[in-house]
Amino acid sequence: MGDGSSASTDPRRPSDHIDSVESDAEINQPKLGFTGWLRWGWRQLTSMRVALVLLLALAIAAIPGSIFPQRSADPNGVVQYKQNNPELFPVLDGMSMFDVYSSPWFSAIYLLLFVSLIGCIIPRIKHHAKALRAKPPRTPARLARLDDHRSVERVSSDADTEASASIDVAEKQLKALGYRVARYDRGRTWSVSAERGYWRETGNLLFHIALVGVLVTVGLGSGFAYTGQKVVIEGATFVNTLIDYNSINRGRFVTDDALKPYAITLDSFDVTYEDFGKPGAGQAGNFAANISVHEPGDAAAGVEPRDTEGKVEVNYPVHVAGDSIYLLGNGYAPTITVRNAEGEKIFSQHVEFLPQDSAMTSLGVVKLTDGMPEQLGMIGFLYPSVVKLESGAYASAHGALNLPLLTLDVYQGDLGIDDGTPRSVFELDTNELEKLNGRGTNVDSIELQPGQTADLPNGLGTVTFEDASPAGATDSLESVDRYVSLQIHHDASAKWVLVFAMLALGGLGLALFVPRRRMWVKATASGDDSIHLEYAGLARGEDPTLAAAVDDLVRGHERLLDGAALRPETPAKGA
């Protein structure tokens, strides 16, 4: 071929040819510039690959929300986590682990995914709309190059007429099979091009549009949603106002007057326990809160007041005025009365005790800030069916009120309420308090059964465990009132999330199970006495049934031709 110098002077070779003496020069890439880099970044962000990565990242980013308690759903759990992990809590809180779904990093992923999906969808919608209006592509000149190809030779007395007629039959056959068809005839060759499976791309687009709908609905719906918790004692009434909630988390668009007015009264609480001698004895088998609901109505709008009754069970909420009311928990709320040394009543109310085990051994706290020489705090244990262990300690053998016993340990000192620091009503910090009775002192714990009264240590007064049994009752099964913990949740976007989720599933089903394929049938007149028929198929993506579909097309076409009285000569043969 000659040396490099002669090659480089060859006028038939371009200056940048591999043999050119300039081949070692530095390759200059075009400069993108600011606009070019923006365009490149937009194309990367709106690619399907990046959208899938962001979707996976969003799923991973949501994991901490299921590991750590969230302020929006479980504020008490966050407080408890802080007390249990005082050193780790500030680090996790700085990373927004307790506000995952409103954190900057989660919102960034959420918004990027939203933009990426929209950037993917819009061009694809335009392309798909154009494809729906376009005719199927022309029949390839060499169908035999396709993998799924069949050919048939047929004898004919009038090759041109019968070749055209065979394509007419194929056209009707493909239309009946749901294909869009187009005729392409040239010279002595007649052909029909067919395509179907547009629902595959339609389903794909529907899935992504529905996914955007879910993101938008969840994003906007959370701003108008609220979730609150309320502890209601038997016979008490809860009014749906902000001040009556124990805790509530509102979306940023929920105003003070957004809550619809209604009142809920806990009429009774039904619970069944497994009897002694059965597996799981003492454990609750089923429980339900029987409530009465009063809706005041609206005279201006012509809406009459309404009173209804309902039953709130686990996983079976009651729906009132667009709110869903769930049963979260239950427990005992004994009525405790405290009088000072002068006999003045300084405290008398229900105290909610938190269950500590399946036998409903419950823990409660009483805080007395006024009426005593110093502030008093009491830590009590309620044993619904008390038994005494060999160690001398008490325990509950059953969750029902067979033999209730209340024990109280009294503490004296500054309860830490007056310094403005929020304190849980279910906890008592005893580090700076003086213990007046119970373990570690010379005075026994106070032990009370319903209706009994005992003296407080140091002559401070008396404490009474009130008996809540109805007049004339002879047992203790109703001597202590019950309470339930209700969660009131309002989210008007839930039904739209369900609609978009169902659309997404439908679109995904279409995208997965509808095959996109093209079919061709071509007839060529060979001389005056034979016809050469060709059949071929091409799949857009994976289609394991394509070969069978081509075979069915061949057999069906032959039957139709035979039924049209076209004379066959030889059976079909593969090409």
Side-chain angles (χ1 to χ4, degrees):
M1 182 176 180
D3 57 14
S5 60
S6 61
S8 63
T9 58
D10 190 341
R12 293 172 297 177
R13 294 179 181 271
S15 60
D16 60 348
H17 193 269
I18 187 63
D19 293 334
S20 173
V21 294
E22 303 293 335
S23 60
D24 293 334
E26 182 180 356
I27 299 176
N28 294 321
Q29 295 285 355
K31 294 183 178 180
L32 293 178
F34 180 74
T35 304
W37 279 111
L38 286 179
R39 185 180 295 111
W40 178 86
W42 174 255
R43 288 177 179 175
Q44 296 300 314
L45 178 62
T46 57
S47 66
M48 187 56 61
R49 179 180 64 257
V50 172
L52 292 175
V53 171
L54 288 173
L55 187 61
L56 177 62
L58 188 70
I60 295 174
I63 293 177
S66 61
I67 297 177
F68 302 103
Q70 300 298 296
R71 286 190 174 92
S72 60
D74 187 12
N76 293 330
V78 176
V79 175
Q80 185 66 41
Y81 193 94
K82 181 179 180 180
Q83 294 176 349
N84 296 338
N85 305 274
E87 296 180 356
L88 183 60
F89 181 84
V91 178
L92 295 176
D93 196 26
M95 299 169 61
S96 301
M97 288 296 144
F98 305 101
D99 301 280
V100 169
Y101 306 111
S102 59
S103 64
W105 47 270
F106 188 88
S107 300
I109 299 174
Y110 187 92
L111 292 175
L112 283 175
L113 176 61
F114 181 74
V115 173
S116 179
L117 286 174
I118 293 179
C120 289
I121 291 171
I122 293 177
R124 291 179 63 179
I125 290 176
K126 294 180 179 178
H127 179 76
H128 187 53
K130 184 178 180 181
L132 290 174
R133 296 191 301 267
K135 296 193 302 182
R138 285 185 172 274
T139 305
R142 297 178 177 85
L143 289 177
R145 291 184 175 181
L146 301 179
D147 292 337
D148 292 291
H149 173 261
R150 311 288 185 271
S151 64
V152 174
E153 294 288 341
R154 299 180 67 90
V155 175
S156 173
S157 58
D158 186 352
D160 290 347
T161 301
E162 294 185 6
S164 177
S166 67
I167 297 303
D168 292 339
V169 172
E171 184 177 3
K172 294 178 182 179
Q173 178 187 3
L174 290 168
K175 283 184 179 180
L177 293 174
Y179 288 86
R180 294 172 56 196
V181 300
R183 285 288 294 267
Y184 296 101
D185 301 337
R186 185 176 181 181
R188 302 191 69 190
T189 300
W190 294 261
S191 66
V192 60
S193 178
E195 188 172 12
R196 79 172 184 182
Y198 295 96
W199 278 106
R200 185 186 186 94
E201 179 64 12
T202 302
N204 204 329
L205 291 172
L206 180 62
F207 169 77
H208 288 89
I209 292 173
L211 189 59
V212 172
V214 170
L215 293 176
V216 173
T217 305
V218 171
L220 292 179
S222 62
F224 294 93
Y226 59 83
T227 300
Q229 292 78 34
K230 176 63 179 178
V231 173
V232 184
I233 300 171
E234 283 181 308
T237 299
F238 159 70
V239 180
N240 190 36
T241 57
L242 289 176
I243 61 173
D244 212 14
Y245 279 93
N246 294 120
S247 63
I248 186 170
N249 292 281
R250 297 184 287 168
R252 64 185 65 185
F253 306 122
V254 179
T255 60
D256 292 345
D257 57 351
L259 279 63
K260 295 184 179 179
Y262 59 83
I264 297 176
T265 301
L266 178 61
D267 298 323
S268 62
F269 181 73
D270 298 333
V271 59
T272 58
Y273 293 98
E274 296 295 329
D275 293 332
F276 289 107
K278 294 184 178 180
Q283 296 184 5
N286 190 23
F287 38 84
N290 301 302
I291 62 174
S292 297
V293 180
H294 173 71
E295 299 178 67
D298 188 349
V303 179
E304 296 292 332
R306 187 174 63 164
D307 293 309
T308 58
E309 295 182 351
K311 180 181 291 187
V312 188
E313 299 179 274
V314 177
N315 297 326
Y316 292 95
V318 170
H319 303 282
V320 180
D323 294 351
S324 297
I325 302 170
Y326 296 87
L327 178 62
L328 296 185
N330 67 92
Y332 290 103
T335 302
I336 298 176
T337 300
V338 179
R339 292 178 172 83
N340 59 19
E342 289 74 26
E344 298 175 352
K345 185 185 296 185
I346 62 173
F347 181 90
S348 182
Q349 65 184 50
H350 289 92
V351 180
E352 296 89 357
F353 275 57
L354 298 179
Q356 304 296 305
D357 55 30
S358 60
M360 296 297 291
T361 301
S362 303
L363 171 66
V365 172
V366 178
K367 298 180 181 181
L368 307 173
T369 58
D370 299 307
M372 291 289 183
E374 289 188 69
Q375 293 181 348
L376 292 184
M378 302 182 190
I379 297 179
F381 280 92
L382 176 66
Y383 306 94
S385 297
V386 66
V387 293
K388 195 166 187 177
L389 306 178
E390 295 182 359
S391 61
Y394 291 117
S396 180
H398 200 275
L401 289 171
N402 295 312
L403 185 60
L405 177 69
L406 175 65
T407 65
L408 294 169
D409 289 348
V410 183
Y411 295 81
Q412 182 176 266
D414 184 4
L415 301 181
I417 296 177
D418 299 331
D419 59 3
T421 304
R423 305 285 181 178
S424 172
V425 297
F426 299 108
E427 295 181 354
L428 180 65
D429 186 359
T430 61
N431 292 329
E432 304 297 329
L433 301 179
E434 178 188 359
K435 190 173 186 180
L436 302 182
N437 69 332
R439 182 178 299 179
T441 69
N442 296 326
V443 182
D444 293 336
S445 297
I446 297 174
E447 298 181 2
L448 297 170
Q449 289 185 326
Q452 293 183 345
T453 299
D455 293 330
L456 291 172
N458 299 342
L460 293 173
T462 62
V463 57
T464 302
F465 180 10
E466 303 289 355
D467 191 345
S469 301
T474 57
D475 56 34
S476 61
L477 295 181
E478 298 182 13
S479 58
V480 181
D481 290 324
R482 302 292 295 250
Y483 73 85
V484 296
S485 177
L486 300 178
Q487 176 171 289
I488 295 87
H489 179 69
H490 178 85
D491 186 2
S493 65
K495 57 179 177 294
W496 292 107
V497 173
L498 177 61
V499 169
F500 283 119
M502 297 302 295
L503 288 175
L505 289 176
L508 186 62
L510 291 174
L512 291 176
F513 300 111
V514 173
R516 179 78 179 273
R517 60 171 66 130
R518 291 171 178 170
M519 289 287 191
W520 292 279
V521 180
K522 182 163 64 173
T524 304
S526 301
D528 295 328
D529 57 354
S530 66
I531 302 172
H532 181 66
L533 294 174
E534 292 182 86
Y535 309 86
L538 179 65
R540 297 283 299 272
E542 294 293 330
D543 189 356
T545 63
L546 180 62
V550 174
D551 291 335
D552 291 341
L553 177 64
V554 174
R555 288 192 293 267
H557 193 223
E558 284 190 342
R559 287 194 299 269
L560 292 173
L561 292 179
D562 292 341
L566 293 179
R567 181 168 55 87
E569 179 202 12
T570 59
K573 61 180 180 179

